[in-house]
Amino acid sequence: MRILFLLVVLAISTCVPAFAQSYVAIDLVNRRIELADFSLGAMDVKGNFLFDVARENGSVVLNLEGKDIVFKEKRLPWVKLKVVKTGDTIVISNFSSPEFMVRGNLNLNSQEC
């Protein structure tokens, strides 16, 4: 639930007038996120995502699947992400696209990878 709250705060903090081309739309009922020219550092991101958040054995699990993702001029037909948070550790169980796959751990207290 905390992740859903953060997503809502993110959407509110990045809201722009309806006539602008940049926006973040979050549909909590259908578990969808749509980004249009969302600034992520020096990059603008476009794409459609489905997400699911669940609790499993005391951990929080986030699954995110994106389609038609565009970072600058780089297009990815799909992206999948599975993140598990247990205590102070975040485990990237899967972060993949047609071109790459990443797995690893991040300790939130020590910031070790």
Side-chain angles (χ1 to χ4, degrees):
M1 294 309 284
R2 178 181 257 169
I3 292 173
L4 289 177
F5 175 75
L6 292 174
L7 290 173
V8 170
V9 169
L10 175 68
I12 292 170
S13 67
T14 58
C15 283
V16 294
F19 301 110
Q21 293 180 357
S22 299
Y23 66 89
V24 175
I26 299 175
D27 179 350
L28 296 175
V29 173
N30 295 310
R31 298 180 179 155
R32 294 176 178 244
I33 301 171
E34 182 179 348
L35 303 176
D37 293 329
F38 175 74
S39 293
L40 186 63
M43 294 187 294
D44 287 338
V45 180
K46 296 179 186 179
N48 296 300
F49 300 87
L50 294 175
F51 68 90
D52 182 51
V53 179
R55 289 194 178 269
E56 295 178 7
N57 302 323
S59 299
V60 177
V61 179
L62 168 68
N63 287 294
L64 185 71
E65 292 186 21
K67 292 183 180 178
D68 300 321
I69 312 303
V70 179
F71 293 94
K72 289 192 176 183
E73 290 84 37
K74 180 68 176 166
R75 184 182 176 281
L76 298 172
W78 59 269
V79 173
K80 291 185 180 184
L81 172 68
K82 181 176 182 179
V83 176
V84 180
K85 181 184 180 292
T86 304
D88 291 331
T89 302
I90 294 177
V91 177
I92 300 171
S93 297
N94 178 31
F95 181 48
S96 58
S97 79
E99 298 178 4
F100 64 87
M101 178 181 278
V102 177
R103 293 176 189 227
N105 300 330
L106 172 64
N107 187 302
L108 296 176
N109 283 333
S110 65
Q111 298 181 352
E112 294 177 3
C113 296

